[in-house]
Amino acid sequence: MREQALRGGERYLPKLKEQGKLPVRERLDLLLDSGSLVEDGLFANSLAQDLPADGVVTGLGRIQGREVAVMANDPTVKAGSWGARTVEKILRIQEQAARLRLPLFYLVDSAGARITDQVDMFPGRRHAGRIFYNQVRLSGRVPQICLLFGPSAAGGAYIPAFCDVVIMVEGNASMYLGSPRMVQVVVGERVSLEELGGARMHCTESGCGDFLVPDDAAAIQLARDYFAYLPQNHTLAPPPIESREPRAAAKPIGELVPLEPQRGYDMRKVIEALVDEGSTLVIKKLFAKELITAFARLDGRVIGILANQPMQKGGVLFGDSADKAARFIWLCDAFNLPLLFLTDVPGFMIGTDVEKRGIIRHGAKMITAVSEASVPKISVIVRKAYGAGLYAMAGPAFESDCVIALPSAQIAVMGPEPAINAVFFNKLAELEEPERTARRRQLEDEYRQDVDLYKLASNLVVDDVVEPERLREQLIKRFAFYSARFEPPLDRKHGVPPV
């Protein structure tokens, strides 16, 4: 009986191979250190010949020597669908992860609930809804990492939604509340599975996916790499490793950042010149590209980086980029990852379309996350910080441990040209050329003098003006000092975020 349970649904293995998928136990062999899995519930539903382990493997194991909990659907057993014992096994491993304060990995490949078993697994106190309740209760206490190898359908789509990160296999992974057939029947829309809930769509448009990978093995390796940046639970710090210098061939920051505020450049190269070589892991790379969110190491210590990307839409913040930022800040704050903001932002996007989509609400969400974060925060004004963009990128008013400016930095409500237009448009319109052009130049020069960087520094708006070649050294020293930061929680139940 043990061998039968371990084999899973053998007759479906050819179909798995055809899809480019690995069997569930091969997935676990790649994820976990060799021989470390201690499994529970192997004989669940053992009297049913076609339901080995009831379609899910649960247990404890180790990744690079660190203890973790795992839940893995077996797609060879009724397409990884959930029955009553499936749900009970998932609940028990969640409860064990909570008791032991262990990270929980969800290896998802499931067609959802078995309709024939719905009375026994859907509506009750220890039925499927409890899985999501447990995920919410675990959130911020232990890392929850989802590897999505196949479908995650209907209510089951909320398992990845409640995880800290979702890694999706292109061509196989999908998540959706209603299937294409159901969508056609209910709303009359003809749509393919990929368009409705495919991996690429979720990683580029909805933002529900964080990483898009080509196959199961790549998903598993990425999950192991991602986990290396996180602690076991919220009471600990991520494990440090030996420091490395930035990539030797990286161009100096001073040569990367143009002085002209409107000229584009690649902020990824600035990050590369700052952090330890090979240590950057970009999260949501394909979604809201105007903002970079990434884990990296600085002198061996893990940090979270939020950086405006002038190469994408000028680095302007949109609703999606604000959402992306808020979630990343909450994640880093939950697991004690210091935050580095690399600011080159013209502000939030304006216009009818974004206002209708709630840009103010989304921006307020990002500013809420910045305000709530109690981990060390350093804001570096790389080139420009205009309008509420300064606030969203942890400017001086937001309890940053320091605000550093590069000599190229500009801090203002807006740039000189739009500012002069806003204030003096009518008066300038009354002048004839070339007097109008000369007067405009004069007013813009006066504006620049008013927001001169060293004038701002003299008023303690910025804490230091640092030459680009000294920035890494400054960040290393400052983060080392700020690691002792302690901020007692506010005396309240919780805030009411503008979501």
Side-chain angles (χ1 to χ4, degrees):
M1 191 170 285
R2 177 181 295 275
E3 290 305 314
Q4 179 184 327
L6 289 170
R7 283 196 299 268
E10 288 184 293
R11 69 191 182 101
Y12 294 101
L13 290 177
K15 182 180 179 183
L16 232 64
K17 189 172 182 180
E18 183 183 316
Q19 294 173 311
K21 292 183 178 183
L22 297 173
V24 63
R25 294 185 184 276
E26 286 188 28
R27 290 170 177 170
L28 288 169
D29 286 344
L30 287 175
L31 178 67
L32 301 174
D33 297 350
S34 180
S36 69
L37 177 64
V38 175
E39 184 175 349
D40 288 323
L42 176 63
F43 299 112
N45 234 349
S46 58
L47 299 182
Q49 296 297 311
D50 60 343
L51 293 170
D54 211 41
V56 67
V57 180
T58 57
L60 305 175
R62 287 187 175 85
I63 295 177
Q64 296 168 333
R66 299 168 61 191
E67 295 175 351
V68 300
V70 294
M71 181 237 60
N73 299 125
D74 185 347
T76 68
V77 178
K78 291 193 179 295
S81 59
W82 297 358
R85 292 168 185 83
T86 319
V87 169
E88 180 63 22
K89 286 176 69 173
I90 296 171
L91 295 179
R92 289 188 186 188
I93 197 60
Q94 289 180 314
E95 291 160 359
Q96 197 159 49
R99 283 193 300 270
L100 300 176
R101 294 197 287 192
L102 294 181
L104 181 50
F105 285 73
Y106 299 83
L107 282 65
V108 178
D109 193 343
S110 171
R114 295 175 202 152
I115 300 299
T116 53
D117 292 7
Q118 63 174 309
V119 174
D120 297 322
M121 54 74 62
F122 172 69
R125 288 178 179 270
R126 280 191 70 82
H127 288 170
R130 190 76 178 183
I131 295 172
F132 313 127
Y133 173 87
N134 285 347
Q135 282 190 274
V136 173
R137 305 292 287 186
L138 284 168
S139 180
R141 295 168 64 194
V142 299
Q144 297 186 85
I145 296 171
C146 177
L147 296 82
L148 192 47
F149 298 108
S152 186
Y158 287 106
I159 280 191
F162 286 121
C163 284
D164 303 323
V165 63
V166 182
I167 301 166
M168 303 186 75
V169 177
E170 186 162 22
N172 284 334
S174 60
M175 49 195 296
Y176 50 86
L177 298 182
S179 68
R181 183 168 56 189
M182 186 182 295
V183 168
Q184 184 178 348
V185 171
V186 175
V187 299
E189 181 184 1
R190 289 181 177 272
V191 64
S192 70
L193 177 59
E194 181 59 35
E195 292 169 324
L196 179 68
R200 181 163 290 275
M201 185 281 287
H202 279 305
C203 288
T204 59
E205 295 184 53
S206 78
C208 290
D210 295 278
F211 295 98
L212 186 68
V213 295
D215 54 38
D216 289 13
I220 292 164
Q221 184 57 57
L222 183 53
R224 288 173 62 93
D225 293 343
Y226 179 94
F227 180 49
Y229 292 92
L230 294 176
Q232 290 291 96
N233 56 62
H234 76 285
T235 68
L236 303 171
I241 63 171
E242 187 177 343
S243 175
R244 291 197 297 267
E245 290 296 310
R247 189 171 70 86
K251 215 173 184 181
I253 295 172
E255 297 178 21
L256 292 169
V257 183
L259 294 178
E260 301 87 344
Q262 310 304 327
R263 272 186 60 194
Y265 64 97
D266 193 347
M267 186 66 85
R268 292 174 300 182
K269 293 182 178 179
V270 175
I271 294 171
E272 184 183 49
L274 272 179
V275 303
D276 297 5
E277 182 176 5
S279 71
T280 307
L281 181 64
V282 178
I283 298 167
K284 291 192 186 296
K285 183 178 181 179
L286 302 177
F287 177 71
K289 296 179 184 180
E290 61 275 10
L291 183 78
I292 299 167
T293 52
F295 294 152
R297 291 185 181 271
L298 191 65
D299 196 35
R301 294 172 183 258
V302 179
I303 61 171
I305 298 175
L306 291 96
N308 307 116
Q309 175 56 293
M311 281 186 66
Q312 297 286 336
K313 303 175 183 176
V316 174
L317 291 167
F318 288 78
D320 282 347
S321 38
D323 281 0
K324 175 180 173 177
R327 182 167 171 81
F328 183 72
I329 292 166
W330 281 321
L331 171 67
C332 292
D333 191 49
F335 295 116
N336 308 310
L337 275 61
L339 287 163
L340 173 62
F341 295 80
L342 297 175
T343 304
D344 191 345
V345 62
F348 284 89
M349 189 60 185
I350 60 174
T352 307
D353 183 59
V354 291
E355 294 291 1
K356 287 179 179 178
R357 294 173 183 270
I359 186 70
I360 297 170
R361 174 168 51 84
H362 291 289
K365 188 190 309 183
M366 180 177 177
I367 292 171
T368 296
V370 172
S371 304
E372 289 179 340
S374 60
V375 292
K377 293 181 289 193
I378 296 178
S379 181
V380 177
I381 314 301
V382 176
R383 188 171 59 171
K384 60 184 178 295
Y386 293 159
L390 173 66
Y391 301 162
M393 296 298 287
F398 289 84
E399 288 292 332
S400 293
D401 293 279
C402 71
V403 177
I404 297 172
L406 298 187
S408 52
Q410 297 178 9
I411 300 173
V413 171
M414 60 184 74
E417 293 178 21
I420 298 311
N421 270 334
V423 178
F424 297 102
F425 181 83
N426 290 333
K427 289 186 178 180
L428 288 171
E430 294 170 1
L431 302 176
E432 298 291 333
E433 290 293 356
E435 186 183 358
R436 182 191 302 164
T437 300
R439 179 60 176 153
R440 177 185 291 278
R441 283 204 197 98
Q442 180 189 357
L443 290 168
E444 288 178 3
D445 289 343
E446 289 172 0
Y447 183 88
R448 290 188 185 95
Q449 290 170 17
D450 192 48
V451 295
D452 176 76
L453 179 60
Y454 287 95
K455 182 177 179 180
L456 294 174
S458 73
N459 289 324
L460 301 182
V461 172
V462 297
D463 297 293
D464 199 1
V465 179
V466 176
E467 294 297 327
E469 62 270 17
R470 291 181 50 238
L471 182 57
R472 173 179 161 89
E473 171 199 347
Q474 275 285 305
L475 294 175
I476 289 171
K477 286 180 178 179
R478 287 179 179 274
F479 273 128
F481 281 120
Y482 303 155
S483 64
R485 173 175 174 151
F486 173 73
E487 191 173 315
L490 294 175
D491 182 18
R492 65 180 182 185
K493 190 173 181 181
H494 57 73
V496 185
V499 299

